[in-house]
Amino acid sequence: MEHKGVGVGRRDKEHIPEEALQRIISTLANKNDEIQNFIDTLNQTLKGVQENSSNILSELDEEFDSLYSILDDVKESMINSIKQEQARKSQELQSQLSQCNNALENSEELLEFATRSLDIKEPEEFSKAARQIKDRVTMASAFRLSLKPKVSDNMTHLMVDFSQERQMLQTLKFLPVPKAPEIDPVDCLVADNSVTVAWRMPEEDNKIDHFILEHRKTNFDGLPRVKDERCWEVIDNIKGTEYTLSGLKFDSKYMNFRVRACNKAVAGEYSDPVTLETKALNFSLDNSSSHLNLRVEDSCVEWDPTGGKGQENKMKGKENKGSVHVTSLKKHTRSGTPSPKRTSIGSRPPAVRGSRDRFTGESYTVLGDTAIESGQHYWEVKAQKDCKSYSVGVAYKTLGKFDQLGKTNTSWCIHVNNWLQNTFAAKHNNKVKALDATVPERIGVFCDFDGGQLSFYDASSKQLLYSFKMKFTQPVLPGFMVWCGGLSLNTGMQVPSAVRTLQKSENGMTGSTSSLNNVTQ
C-alpha cells in the first residue's frame, strides 16, 4: 500500500511540458471536430431518410395509381367490346326475325287464299286461281328464307381468365438495387494533376449497366464535411471500374470521391467516400508589389505604358481591407508536406496610383503572394506572342525596388529578349549564361527549396533549359518581369513525373551553372 501511495504521489507531481499539453489540446480539438462532423452527417442522413421516404411513398402511390388507371382502361375497353358484340348479334337476329315474320305473314295469306280456292266449282276459274297460287308459291319469300340463325347466343369468346395476371401482381416487389462499390485508396493514383480512381464490387453483379463517380474539392482531411461549401460534381455513364480525371487545377488540399453502381432501372448506394491528397503550390500575383507600369490580375500581368491608370479605381477600393498579406509555405504539416498559410509581411497599406512603389525605374517586376520556404514546387508561365522582354524566376523578399531579376545575388531567372536582338539566357548576380535552346511557348519552373535547386523546363516536352544550384538562406518569392507585352501564370500544379524523373540525371548537367552560382548567399 505504501508503494502504491508513493506512485500516486509521483504521478501527481509529474511535470507535463507545455508542448505536450498543446498536443493534447490539439488532439482533443481534432476529435471534437471529427465528432461534430459525424453528428452533422447523422443529422443530414436522418433528414435524407425522411425526405427520401416521403418521395418514395409518393412515387409508390403514383405507380399504383398508374396500374389502377391501366386496369380501368382495360376494363372499359373489354366492356365496350362485349357491348359491341351484343349489339352486332342482336342486330343480326332482329333483322332475321323481321324477315321471318314478313315471310310467315305472306305465307299464311297465301295458304288462306289456296284454301278458299278449293271451294271454286267453276273449272275455268279454279284453273286460273290454281295458276296464281302456283306462281305466288314460286315467288314466296318463305321458300327462299334460311331457317338457321345467322349468329349464336354464345359469348364465351369474350370471357377472361386473369389468374396469371393475378399471380404476376402478387409477385410485385421493390427493384433490385446494386450493392455499394468499394474504393481502395491504395489503387488510386494522384500524379501530373490527374487523379485515377479505381473501385470494385463486393460481389459479382452482371446486371450492372454503368457507374456514377462524384468528386469535390475540400481543404479538410478525413471524411467529407457535410457543411462543405463545395457541391459534388458528377461523372455519369462510366462503363469500367476505373476513371481518370485529368487537367485538374489542384487549388485545394484534398479531393473527396464516391461512386455508385447502376442497373437498367435504379442506382445503388454510394461507396464509402475516400479523401485523396492533392497538394500543389497555389499563388497569385501580388498587385501591391508590382511596378506602377504593370497591370496585374491574379494570374496575369501586362505592361501598361499609361502608368497603371486602369488599376487606380481597383486599388482604391482595397484601401480599407487591411495590410498586405502573402502566403508562407510552412516546413511541416500533418502529411509531411508544406501547406500554404497567410502571414503578414509588414504594415504597408495597399498601394494606389502614386504610392505603389515596391518596384520602380526600369524594374518592371511583380512578385507572387506566396513565400516558399520548404518543399518542391512547380508552376508554368506563358508569354504573349508579341512580348518584347520578360524574365521568370525567384527572388528573396529583400529584392530592392530598383533591382531587376537576375542582376542581384538575391534573384535567379531566365530572361527572354525579343527587342533589337533575340537573346535567351539564365541570369543571376548580374552574370549571364546564354542558352542554346529555342524559347518554348510555356516555361515550367521547378523550385526545390530544401535541395537548393531552381530549374527551368520546356513545359510541353519537359526538356531541361537550365538549372541553378544554390543554398537558399531565406524564403523566396516567384518573380516576374515584363516589358512591352504580358505573361499568364498557371499554378495549382504538381511537380510533373517527368521532372521528378529528370532530377537524378539533372545533377550531372549543372556544371555549366557554376559561373552563376559561385556567390555565397
Side-chain angles (χ1 to χ4, degrees):
M1 295 296 293
E2 292 179 358
H3 290 294
K4 184 177 180 180
V6 171
V8 172
R10 288 177 180 174
R11 286 196 297 272
D12 291 341
K13 296 179 181 180
E14 181 182 357
H15 174 69
I16 300 179
E18 183 177 346
E19 291 107 355
L21 184 57
Q22 288 290 352
R23 286 195 297 270
I24 293 173
I25 292 173
S26 177
T27 301
L28 288 173
N30 289 337
K31 178 54 68 175
N32 290 348
D33 186 56
E34 183 180 345
I35 294 174
Q36 182 60 56
N37 182 54
F38 185 61
I39 291 173
D40 293 338
T41 301
L42 291 176
N43 285 330
Q44 186 190 49
T45 303
L46 179 60
K47 181 180 178 182
V49 167
Q50 296 169 344
E51 292 179 352
N52 292 335
S53 298
S54 177
N55 292 336
I56 290 297
L57 287 172
S58 297
E59 291 179 4
L60 185 66
D61 284 339
E62 291 178 3
E63 289 294 328
F64 272 97
D65 287 343
S66 176
L67 284 178
Y68 300 150
S69 176
I70 292 173
L71 289 173
D72 288 340
D73 291 342
V74 171
K75 179 181 178 181
E76 183 177 356
S77 175
M78 287 183 166
I79 290 174
N80 288 335
S81 297
I82 294 172
K83 288 182 176 180
Q84 289 173 5
E85 183 71 354
Q86 178 188 7
R88 183 185 71 83
K89 287 192 172 187
S90 297
Q91 185 177 4
E92 290 283 357
L93 294 173
Q94 288 288 354
S95 174
Q96 197 172 13
L97 183 61
S98 176
Q99 292 174 4
C100 288
N101 286 330
N102 291 334
L104 179 61
E105 183 178 350
N106 292 334
S107 181
E108 288 177 345
E109 180 184 352
L110 182 58
L111 176 60
E112 183 180 355
F113 176 66
T115 301
R116 288 198 308 270
S117 297
L118 291 174
D119 297 333
I120 298 176
K121 303 300 182 181
E122 181 62 36
E124 186 175 345
E125 289 183 10
F126 179 82
S127 179
K128 180 179 179 181
R131 285 195 300 271
Q132 288 179 353
I133 292 171
K134 180 181 178 181
D135 291 340
R136 289 181 64 182
V137 169
T138 302
M139 300 299 297
S141 60
F143 293 94
R144 300 194 303 272
L145 189 67
S146 173
L147 298 182
K148 180 181 178 181
K150 291 184 177 181
V151 295
S152 70
D153 61 352
N154 183 24
M155 297 290 284
T156 56
H157 62 290
L158 295 177
M159 293 182 64
V160 297
D161 179 7
F162 291 149
S163 57
Q164 291 185 349
E165 287 75 7
R166 280 195 295 271
Q167 290 179 359
M168 289 179 60
L169 289 173
Q170 289 170 354
T171 61
L172 291 178
K173 58 184 179 181
F174 297 108
L175 289 171
V177 179
K179 293 185 179 296
E182 298 173 352
I183 302 177
D184 189 349
V186 176
D187 296 331
C188 300
L189 177 65
V190 180
D192 298 319
N193 283 79
S194 298
V195 179
T196 298
V197 184
W199 58 88
R200 60 178 176 270
M201 295 300 296
E203 59 186 47
E204 186 176 353
D205 186 348
N206 56 13
K207 293 184 179 180
I208 290 177
D209 179 69
H210 64 278
F211 296 92
I212 298 174
L213 177 66
E214 298 186 4
H215 63 92
R216 70 179 179 184
K217 298 178 179 180
T218 181
N219 286 316
F220 299 101
D221 194 4
L223 294 174
R225 301 296 177 111
V226 173
K227 296 182 179 180
D228 200 319
E229 67 279 4
R230 308 197 189 195
C231 297
W232 290 96
E233 296 185 43
V234 179
I235 303 172
D236 201 352
N237 202 33
I238 301 173
K239 296 299 183 180
T241 57
E242 180 179 297
Y243 191 84
T244 298
L245 291 88
S246 57
L248 298 172
K249 180 179 175 65
F250 286 167
D251 51 3
S252 63
K253 295 180 182 179
Y254 305 95
M255 288 184 70
N256 301 139
F257 294 89
R258 64 185 185 184
V259 66
R260 65 199 307 195
C262 305
N263 54 31
K264 291 290 186 180
V266 67
E269 292 280 351
Y270 284 108
S271 66
D272 290 335
V274 299
T275 300
L276 301 179
E277 188 176 24
T278 54
K279 55 185 178 182
L281 173 65
N282 284 274
F283 67 90
S284 300
L285 299 176
D286 185 5
N287 192 30
S288 65
S289 76
S290 67
H291 190 284
L292 192 63
N293 285 96
L294 296 181
R295 184 165 60 248
V296 178
E297 298 294 338
D298 287 343
S299 59
C300 60
V301 54
E302 190 171 358
W303 186 70
D304 181 7
T306 64
K309 290 181 179 179
Q311 298 185 87
E312 184 173 352
N313 293 333
K314 176 182 176 182
M315 295 306 300
K316 284 182 178 180
K318 297 181 178 180
E319 276 184 295
N320 299 322
K321 291 190 177 180
S323 61
V324 179
H325 291 77
V326 298
T327 302
S328 180
L329 291 175
K330 296 302 178 184
K331 289 186 178 293
H332 299 288
T333 64
R334 184 167 55 181
S335 63
T337 59
S339 61
K341 182 179 179 182
R342 301 282 176 179
T343 57
S344 174
I345 59 168
S347 58
R348 183 178 70 251
V352 295
R353 178 170 167 79
S355 65
R356 181 156 58 93
D357 57 357
R358 174 63 179 90
F359 294 101
T360 190
E362 295 184 356
S363 180
Y364 300 113
T365 303
V366 61
L367 300 176
D369 64 356
T370 300
I372 300 173
E373 54 184 46
S374 67
Q376 296 181 344
H377 309 282
Y378 180 86
W379 60 95
E380 293 181 356
V381 181
K382 181 178 181 181
Q384 294 177 353
K385 290 184 177 180
D386 58 349
C387 188
K388 290 185 170 56
S389 180
Y390 62 93
S391 298
V392 178
V394 299
Y396 290 153
K397 297 178 183 179
T398 55
L399 186 67
K401 65 188 294 184
F402 294 99
D403 294 338
Q404 298 181 29
L405 289 179
K407 290 192 174 184
T408 70
N409 65 349
T410 60
S411 61
W412 301 258
C413 72
I414 59 173
H415 175 73
V416 178
N417 180 49
N418 297 317
W419 175 247
L420 298 181
Q421 60 180 359
N422 295 333
T423 59
F424 186 29
K427 300 174 67 175
H428 169 63
N429 201 24
N430 210 24
K431 295 181 180 180
V432 178
K433 173 66 177 179
L435 303 181
D436 185 17
T438 303
V439 178
E441 181 180 1
R442 290 181 294 118
I443 296 175
V445 185
F446 170 72
C447 180
D448 182 357
F449 186 91
D450 302 317
Q453 184 169 341
L454 179 68
S455 301
F456 299 90
Y457 291 87
D458 181 328
S460 298
S461 67
K462 299 302 182 289
Q463 176 188 357
L464 176 65
L465 302 173
Y466 194 79
S467 281
F468 291 101
K469 293 290 291 185
M470 79 294 289
K471 182 178 181 180
F472 294 117
T473 58
Q474 55 181 289
V476 295
L477 291 166
F480 310 87
M481 186 283 295
V482 61
W483 177 70
C484 288
L487 300 175
S488 58
L489 177 65
N490 191 11
T491 67
M493 304 184 70
Q494 288 184 305
V495 178
S497 300
V499 172
R500 292 188 184 276
T501 302
L502 288 170
Q503 290 310 301
K504 294 181 180 180
S505 59
E506 188 177 324
N507 292 331
M509 300 171 58
T510 56
S512 61
T513 69
S514 59
S515 61
L516 301 183
N517 295 329
N518 57 8
V519 178
T520 303
Q521 303 303 319

